[in-house]
Amino acid sequence: MKRIVTLAIIAMLAVEAFGWGGVGHRVIVEIAQRNLTEKAKKNISKYMDYDLKKEALWMDIHRKDKPIAYTTAWHVYNVDEQSIYDPNPRLYKGDCVHALKVADYNLSKYEQLTDSAVVFNLRMLLHFVGDLHCPTHSYVPGPRCFWKCELNGKQYKAFHGLYDKMPALLHPKKSDNQIAEELDVLKKGQIKKITKGDLHDWVHQIGSDNKVIYEWNPHNTPVLRDDTIELSRELVNKQMQYAGYRLAYLLNHYFGK
């Protein structure tokens, strides 16, 4: 029993340590679920339980397991000064964009794969679409976003970690479903514009939007602006919303045929 409890605590800490924490990833997947076609739901249910939120964090919790340790670098990516995807050689093992291209290649022919391969690529898609949109996962040129900082008297080990927790900070006491319901309000025409283009177009929009966090708090700012959380509300909500619709678009594309 003691070992089980210890493992549960480790898993919980892992969830809080990475992109969007638990709240952001689950909200994104819930928005996606609310926009899936019945055909896509039926086909996905052949491989995993339909409540996909249970799988949204798998890639974080297991990222250091030896068989998939190579995916550790896949949670982030680089953009250049113009917010264009930059396949930085430092991430030679791949990055978030690479991960989504792998999932796209495999899920485009999912019926030819083994069930376990479909499940793994689904887990990748569910998670990395979220990470793609996280403000501190699109690395901008300059110092990395891991400096220690303070916000309203609370210490954070890294600026990066603050934004991983931001969905929970913005929506205290709300359930994942409540947040998703508040964000899933766009009409079909608006959603079509959000899902238009390819992965690199999405990266450009995400990177262009996300760089504002370094205007509010430049790199290595030790004490962050008191209004940082409220300043981040529109950006973080938008990125969760867009990620949810784009995830639904991809799932419908692969499994809705």
Side-chain angles (χ1 to χ4, degrees):
M1 176 63 74
K2 184 176 181 181
R3 176 174 170 77
I4 293 174
V5 172
T6 301
L7 289 174
I9 292 173
I10 291 173
M12 180 177 68
L13 291 175
V15 166
E16 292 306 315
F18 303 113
W20 288 127
V23 175
H25 278 295
R26 291 192 298 269
V27 168
I28 289 166
V29 174
E30 176 58 26
I31 293 172
Q33 290 190 141
R34 293 162 60 96
N35 289 273
L36 292 183
T37 65
E38 291 303 315
K39 186 67 176 291
K41 292 178 185 178
K42 182 179 179 180
N43 285 331
I44 292 170
S45 68
K46 297 174 184 177
Y47 300 96
M48 59 176 56
D49 292 340
Y50 178 62
D51 187 0
L52 303 179
K53 293 196 298 295
K54 294 187 297 184
E55 301 288 348
L57 304 167
W58 195 92
M59 295 303 300
D60 268 347
I61 294 170
H62 296 279
R63 65 192 294 170
K64 293 190 177 179
D65 292 359
K66 284 187 177 180
I68 63 165
Y70 62 90
T71 69
T72 297
W74 291 12
H75 298 254
V76 297
Y77 62 101
N78 292 275
V79 294
D80 63 17
E81 295 285 358
Q82 287 74 45
S83 300
I84 296 171
Y85 171 59
D86 177 17
N88 192 312
R90 184 181 62 77
L91 297 175
Y92 65 94
K93 292 184 179 180
D95 56 19
C96 193
V97 175
H98 169 76
L100 289 171
K101 288 181 178 180
V102 170
D104 174 73
Y105 176 81
N106 289 322
L107 293 177
S108 292
K109 53 184 178 66
Y110 78 91
E111 291 173 307
Q112 302 174 32
L113 305 180
T114 63
D115 288 0
S116 60
V118 174
V119 169
F120 184 71
N121 281 275
L122 259 172
R123 286 168 169 163
M124 285 174 52
L125 189 73
L126 295 173
H127 187 80
F128 291 128
V129 169
D131 277 357
L132 189 77
H133 290 73
C134 185
T136 45
H137 281 233
S138 52
Y139 288 174
V140 299
R144 296 180 66 189
C145 54
F146 289 94
W147 74 88
K148 293 180 180 180
C149 56
E150 177 183 323
L151 176 61
N152 297 325
K154 183 173 181 179
Q155 302 292 326
Y156 289 88
K157 292 183 179 179
F159 182 72
H160 182 115
L162 168 64
Y163 275 90
D164 288 347
K165 295 179 173 65
M166 194 61 76
L169 295 174
L170 287 169
H171 300 280
K173 300 181 180 180
K174 290 182 182 177
S175 70
D176 308 325
N177 287 5
Q178 286 174 323
I179 302 170
E181 185 174 1
E182 291 178 3
L183 297 179
D184 182 23
V185 293
L186 300 188
K187 297 180 179 179
K188 289 184 179 180
Q190 294 171 301
I191 296 172
K192 188 174 182 179
K193 288 182 180 179
I194 291 169
T195 57
K196 184 179 179 180
D198 61 17
L199 180 59
H200 289 269
D201 294 320
W202 295 356
V203 165
H204 183 256
Q205 172 266 308
I206 295 164
S208 297
D209 288 348
N210 284 345
K211 65 184 179 182
V212 71
I213 66 174
Y214 300 105
E215 296 174 12
W216 300 330
N217 294 292
H219 282 101
N220 297 322
T221 299
V223 180
L224 307 182
R225 291 179 52 160
D226 292 345
D227 58 351
T228 294
I229 293 176
E230 195 53 41
L231 281 173
S232 304
R233 184 176 299 278
E234 182 178 355
L235 171 67
V236 170
N237 283 344
K238 175 183 178 180
Q239 299 295 46
M240 288 194 293
Q241 182 187 60
Y242 278 34
Y245 288 132
R246 285 167 175 163
L247 177 58
Y249 169 81
L250 292 172
L251 290 169
N252 285 329
H253 173 68
Y254 303 133
F255 295 96
K257 300 175 182 177

